[in-house]
Amino acid sequence: MQTLQQLLFFCSQKHKDHVAFQIRQEKIWRKITFSEVIPLVEKVQSSLVKLGVGPGDRVVILSENRPEWAISYLAVCAMGAVAVPLDAMLKREDIFVFIEDCQAKAIILSAKYVDLVKATTFESLTLVMEAFNQLEAKEIPQFNVNPADLAAIVYTSGTTGNAKGVMLSHKNIMSNVLAVGKLFPLGPGDNFLSVLPLHHTFETTCGFLGAFSLGCSITYTESLKSYVLIRNMQETGVTVMCGVPLLYQLIYDGIMREVDDKGMGKMFAVLLFISKVSKFLIGINIGKILFAAIHKKFGGKIRFFVTGGAAIDPQLIRNFELLGFAIVQGYGLTESSPILTCCTLKKNKIGSVGRAIQDVKIKIAGSEPVGEILASGPNIMQGYYKRLDLSNEVLKHGWLYTGDVGYLDEEGYLFITGRNKDVIVTGAGVNVYPEELEPLLGRCPEIKEACIIGTKQNALGRRGNEQVAAIIVAKSADLENSIRLFIEGLNKTLPEYKRIAKVVFRQEELPKTRLLKVKKYLLRKEIEVNEQ
Amino acid sequence: MNNNQDASNKKKPITNDQLSKEIKTIIAKITKLPIEKILDDSNLFADLGIESLAGVEIFAAIDKKYNLNIPEEKVKDVTSVADLVDLIQIMLKQ
């Protein structure tokens, strides 16, 4: 199987009456079996053809996580068109930057977002997910899809004139999807809880396509509130979930709060101690037995959790392990569809992001043991859409220059130690690019010079998460308050993850190289030292 | 039975001061921040370092306490503790 079209036909035939997707709507679980997927896909394809969509045309998908998102993605890719999944939480003007950049031919969206296209040229080029059942499947041509064809463009950042869309072919995505199947012993008995936004490639490949390829059910959650997640886990018997470090931290904190509220802190500490000793002395993890009540609360069927998108505190993995829950960590970039390396249940080397997955090669640039991580394999992107300049910066001599820094141990396990690039990665696994925010600060007349960096965040008891910080040199010290007000106003116009969370004023000018590039690593160090 | 108690909670009028105190207690519990650092005009994101996922968790705790169902999309509209108190007052009166 080398195309998403083949994946769709193969899985729909093989798993027939098994539930592929489910979501709770008005207290009832609406289920779609594998055999019901193709008729729905054909309805969408037929309607797209009527809108003039053909092979190679870009179709934007914009909605909350739901079965129709998955149906839309499969429909678009299986007709040789290109899926462009967008973050529905972005502001309207940001969404249109991407819609215009990819020259979308049509948009598939949920009713929640219909207002976005009102009074635009796209108003008549839209399919609404809630109406899928009323669509008709007529005159569907035969679509020939090849592994080298483009399947998706995934935007990782963008402002007007500066959008960065990762081009992934069918072969890119399928190589990663098939590799997921080799990593974990999963099958039709498994049920994935889909919590990460589906436009995030980690969720697209692992939580959706990977699960679909193995005949697993996928449960979409209507909310990320903990009591909703727990209810959904209990009602559907969730076995696997892909998440980001922040989500696991919140889950763990929630467990600890409940233990405290029930006055069971001492008993819990004793059980944790027994779990630790048993693991250390006899090498057996009895957490699942000792903390059976917690497992029951999570539905009693959790097999493991997968984490990615950002660095996780190894201690958090250990804490979960003592409770009898396994968290395996992987690593990758949107540019690699996304998985490059992953730990497994058999060998979960805590602290490492695992070994290279099937067909992927990882090496460290230069001759030192620690250096930039380079990757090659069938999952590496075709380049950035219409941005050969940016593509050439990261794709060189058959290798993807990840911008991350790390080392490989003697067993080939990768450890990440830092990053070359200035990109800020939040605990929720979202990338924030300083070059998008810095021009906005330049609009404040009271600012002499400023730059944006990521600083380690210690709030909420979490380690390792980064937050967006602005380092500012004011034109005079008495202007600091008005600059703060400017930033408050600016934050209101930005999506939550891009907001400036920390403002640091400097009296001296920003340190620069001879080419006048700000030495951000020095500023990061300065802040870390000041905060210690 | 719990639901009935919660439902009666919903009808009880609550002053802004009292609600503000209760909300700060919830935020402090979830963020592990000292309650005295959480002020009415504290910006949830910039001052308290709360990300949207943690914001959703605060909403979940508020839902439970007042038997509400705050739409989680509201996370991006609420900036300060006072905003949150106003939002809950409106929802309690509905």
Side-chain angles (χ1 to χ4, degrees), chain A residues 281-331:
Chain A
L281 290 180
I282 50 175
I284 296 173
N285 189 343
I286 55 170
K288 208 168 184 169
I289 301 164
L290 294 174
F291 298 99
I294 295 173
H295 284 261
K296 198 177 167 196
K297 186 163 184 184
F298 285 93
K301 291 189 175 172
I302 298 287
R303 293 180 62 200
F304 62 94
F305 296 124
V306 184
T307 182
I312 191 168
D313 181 357
Q315 190 53 46
L316 184 60
I317 300 183
R318 288 190 196 101
N319 290 344
F320 267 97
E321 202 175 46
L322 290 177
L323 298 179
F325 292 104
I327 299 186
V328 288
Q329 189 178 9
Y331 161 71

Side-chain angles (χ1 to χ4, degrees), chain A residues 59-62 99 104-109 117 122 125-127:
Chain A
V59 178
V60 163
I61 303 173
L62 189 72
I99 290 176
K105 194 85 182 234
I107 301 178
I108 307 178
L109 39 66
V117 291
F122 285 97
L125 297 170
T126 297
L127 295 184

Side-chain angles (χ1 to χ4, degrees), chain A residues 401-460:
Chain A
Y401 282 64
T402 65
D404 293 314
V405 175
Y407 65 91
L408 291 161
D409 73 3
E410 64 286 353
E411 289 182 298
Y413 281 81
L414 181 65
F415 289 77
I416 295 174
T417 56
R419 199 162 48 241
N420 272 347
K421 293 184 288 191
D422 288 332
V423 60
I424 300 159
V425 183
T426 70
V430 184
N431 291 358
V432 181
Y433 294 84
E435 56 270 28
E436 284 184 34
L437 296 174
E438 285 162 354
L440 303 178
L441 289 176
R443 292 178 194 167
C444 176
E446 287 90 3
I447 292 178
K448 190 175 171 192
E449 57 174 348
C451 76
I452 295 285
I453 59 170
T455 58
K456 292 270 184 280
Q457 186 191 43
N458 294 314
L460 312 188

Side-chain angles (χ1 to χ4, degrees), chain A residues 458-527:
Chain A
N458 294 314
L460 312 188
R462 291 178 219 127
R463 291 190 294 162
N465 292 346
E466 281 187 327
Q467 62 183 355
V468 181
I471 315 297
I472 290 169
V473 183
K475 284 187 178 158
S476 69
D478 59 326
L479 295 171
E480 289 186 1
N481 269 344
S482 78
I483 293 172
R484 280 190 195 279
L485 285 175
F486 171 85
I487 290 174
E488 259 179 43
L490 176 64
N491 276 341
K492 284 181 186 163
T493 69
L494 295 169
E496 176 272 323
Y497 67 94
K498 284 188 190 172
R499 289 181 195 161
I500 296 164
K502 191 182 184 80
V503 180
V504 179
F505 286 98
R506 265 174 76 90
Q507 305 300 322
E508 316 83 45
E509 76 168 285
L510 300 176
K512 298 181 191 78
T513 64
R514 288 176 67 182
L515 294 172
L516 297 179
K517 203 173 169 229
V518 176
K519 291 178 178 173
K520 292 189 176 179
Y521 63 96
L522 282 183
L523 292 170
R524 271 191 290 270
K525 262 191 189 167
E526 252 181 51
I527 289 177

Side-chain angles (χ1 to χ4, degrees), chain A residues 112 223 225-227 261 501, chain B residues 29 46 57 63 70 72-73:
Chain A
K112 257 188 187 178
S223 164
K225 289 176 184 170
S226 53
Y227 64 87
D261 287 347
Chain B
K29 212 167 180 187
E57 199 46 38
D63 280 0
I70 313 173
E72 62 186 63
E73 294 86 14

Side-chain angles (χ1 to χ4, degrees), chain A residues 65-250:
Chain A
N65 283 15
R66 54 188 294 159
E68 288 76 11
W69 195 106
I71 302 283
S72 304
Y73 188 93
L74 290 169
V76 171
C77 296
M79 66 187 285
V82 181
V84 184
L86 294 185
D87 181 357
M89 296 298 277
L90 286 176
K91 290 188 180 289
R92 188 177 190 273
E93 54 269 32
D94 293 330
I95 287 173
F96 271 88
V97 165
F98 299 132
I99 290 176
E100 279 159 22
D101 186 73
C102 74
Q103 295 161 297
K105 194 85 182 234
I107 301 178
I108 307 178
L109 39 66
S110 66
K112 257 188 187 178
Y113 302 100
V114 164
D115 282 351
L116 274 173
V117 291
K118 265 191 184 156
T120 72
T121 47
F122 285 97
E123 199 166 3
S124 56
L125 297 170
T126 297
L127 295 184
V128 181
M129 292 178 175
E130 280 78 357
F132 275 6
N133 274 325
Q134 284 96 62
L135 300 176
E136 285 180 19
K138 277 186 195 169
E139 298 161 28
I140 306 163
Q142 186 76 28
F143 301 113
N144 292 317
V145 182
N146 297 306
D149 292 345
L150 202 56
I153 297 175
V154 186
Y155 283 96
T156 57
S157 71
T159 49
T160 306
N162 195 25
K164 200 170 157 192
V166 173
M167 295 190 291
L168 299 175
S169 68
H170 283 261
K171 189 181 171 189
N172 288 154
I173 296 170
M174 281 308 298
S175 71
N176 231 232
V177 168
L178 297 175
V180 170
K182 298 267 162 66
L183 287 170
F184 303 108
L186 293 164
D190 283 294
N191 176 14
F192 275 62
L193 185 66
S194 177
V195 292
L196 296 179
L198 269 160
H199 71 272
H200 203 298
T201 311
F202 178 30
E203 184 62 17
T204 319
T205 300
C206 302
F208 160 35
L209 296 169
F212 186 83
S213 75
L214 297 163
C216 308
S217 299
I218 303 169
T219 301
Y220 292 104
T221 183
E222 68 276 30
S223 164
L224 290 177
K225 289 176 184 170
S226 53
Y227 64 87
V228 176
L229 295 183
I230 285 170
R231 186 198 60 209
N232 289 348
M233 285 176 175
Q234 289 169 348
E235 288 185 2
T236 66
V238 166
T239 60
V240 185
M241 181 174 81
C242 299
V244 288
L246 180 58
L247 180 70
Y248 295 115
Q249 183 69 59
L250 287 168

